[in-house]
Amino acid sequence: MRSIKFATVVGVALMSMAGVTQADTLAKVKESGVFTIGHRDASIPLSYYDDKQKPIGYSVEICQRVADAVKKELKKPDLQIKYQLVTSANRIPLLANGTVDIECGSTTNNAERQKQVSYLPTTFVTANRIMYKKGSGISVLADMKGKTLVSTAGTTNIKQVTQINAEKNLGVNITSANGHAESFLMVETGRAAAFAMDDILLAGLIATSKNPGQFEVSKEALSVEPYGIMVRKDDAKFEALAAGVVKGLMKSGEINKIYDKWFLKPIPPKNITMNVPMSPNLKKVIANPTNSPDPAAYQ
């Protein structure tokens, strides 16, 4: 009886320790000696692979600054930095279960997601638009009646176009793909007439495609999408450290140099230039950092 009781106490203690470790990112990282950055494979130029399968991009570079701050905070200059590929569908679960310690991609900050995760100050502002081939007769979502629209599974974009389609009875056939590259390929090969996604990601996919001049993006914006770097919820110490890094980049003006590097200068692996000047919306955020999920805060 005593051994059973002892085993139970030990088991409860271990579960408690595991819970504390997962809730406290800095403690978890100190114990493991590893800080894991979650990244995307095709969110150009925010988070993607170069020609050597190395994660790079605007969001990734900001997260690397956070990693430097973690090394300093823990007094571990030799801390191992690992990279874990995530998708639109699994990025939140992998963050919540401790597989990754921070998610550095192209993730929209909204009220629904804030129930599951926390966000650092917004680092980019985009809009949901549709991309299609020139000469297709499409310019707005309403032109898609009877046609197939693709979007990436697990994104706010597919949820929004599905809602608009139902509310306005547009008669659009909506399907999903496993990633941005697959969604783009469906339009490129004619399996879908249009692709709904954040305009900056559409611009990156077009710029790196075989025939960039074949595609265009709608002027019609279906939403305002603030992007934020995700961290685990209810981890005030790590969130404060990471948010302090982002705010510091904004206050010092260093964020402008990072932005110019990825949006206004040639980027690997093909040395294309996105040529996307910083929007007034983002300038507003940099002047007054916020992680608000309300789109009105960015207009």
Side-chain angles (χ1 to χ4, degrees), residues 130 132 136-144 216-221:
I130 61 172
Y132 40 82
S136 64
I138 300 168
S139 61
V140 295
L141 185 60
D143 295 331
M144 288 290 297
E216 61 183 343
V217 177
S218 67
K219 293 181 180 179
E220 177 189 48

Side-chain angles (χ1 to χ4, degrees), residues 22 84 86-101 103 113 116-117 154 230 232:
Q22 185 167 315
Q84 171 67 50
V86 299
T87 67
S88 298
N90 70 17
R91 54 192 168 185
I92 291 178
L94 290 182
L95 179 66
N97 71 17
T99 301
V100 301
D101 298 308
E103 194 271 341
R113 285 176 176 163
Q116 305 174 71
V117 297
M230 294 193 297
R232 270 184 285 281

Side-chain angles (χ1 to χ4, degrees), residues 25-217:
T25 298
L26 291 174
K28 169 182 175 291
V29 171
K30 186 175 183 178
E31 183 179 342
S32 68
V34 178
F35 182 68
T36 305
I37 295 174
H39 67 91
R40 303 299 300 278
D41 62 347
S43 291
I44 302 166
L46 295 111
S47 183
Y48 66 106
Y49 280 132
D50 66 9
D51 55 352
K52 296 180 181 178
Q53 294 294 289
K54 175 186 175 183
I56 58 173
Y58 173 75
S59 297
V60 172
E61 183 163 341
I62 293 172
C63 283
Q64 288 167 342
R65 303 297 181 96
V66 173
D68 290 339
V70 171
K71 289 180 180 180
K72 186 175 181 181
E73 175 70 18
L74 298 178
K75 297 180 175 59
K76 282 183 169 287
D78 59 345
L79 182 69
Q80 183 182 359
I81 308 300
K82 290 182 66 175
Y83 294 89
Q84 171 67 50
L85 177 65
V86 299
T87 67
S88 298
N90 70 17
R91 54 192 168 185
I92 291 178
L94 290 182
L95 179 66
N97 71 17
T99 301
V100 301
D101 298 308
I102 192 168
E103 194 271 341
C104 314
S106 51
T107 305
T108 297
N109 176 0
N110 60 35
E112 183 179 346
R113 285 176 176 163
Q114 283 208 7
K115 295 175 183 177
Q116 305 174 71
V117 297
S118 292
Y119 284 86
L120 304 187
T122 295
T123 48
F124 193 77
V125 184
T126 184
N128 186 12
R129 302 179 194 266
I130 61 172
M131 179 214 76
Y132 40 82
K133 287 184 178 180
K134 292 179 180 178
S136 64
I138 300 168
S139 61
V140 295
L141 185 60
D143 295 331
M144 288 290 297
K145 184 174 183 178
K147 297 181 173 68
T148 297
L149 175 73
V150 66
S151 190
T152 306
T155 62
T156 56
N157 309 78
I158 193 166
K159 183 176 180 180
Q160 184 183 54
V161 291
T162 300
Q163 184 176 345
I164 294 172
N165 187 41
E167 289 175 352
K168 298 187 176 182
N169 195 27
L170 298 180
V172 181
N173 301 318
I174 298 175
T175 188
S176 65
N178 290 326
H180 301 326
E182 183 180 329
S183 294
F184 185 87
L185 182 63
M186 287 184 68
V187 177
E188 195 171 37
T189 57
R191 287 178 288 158
F195 172 20
M197 186 44 57
D198 301 335
D199 52 17
I200 187 60
L201 302 183
L202 294 175
L205 289 163
I206 291 171
T208 55
S209 67
K210 297 175 182 177
N211 189 0
Q214 187 177 14
F215 308 97
E216 61 183 343
V217 177

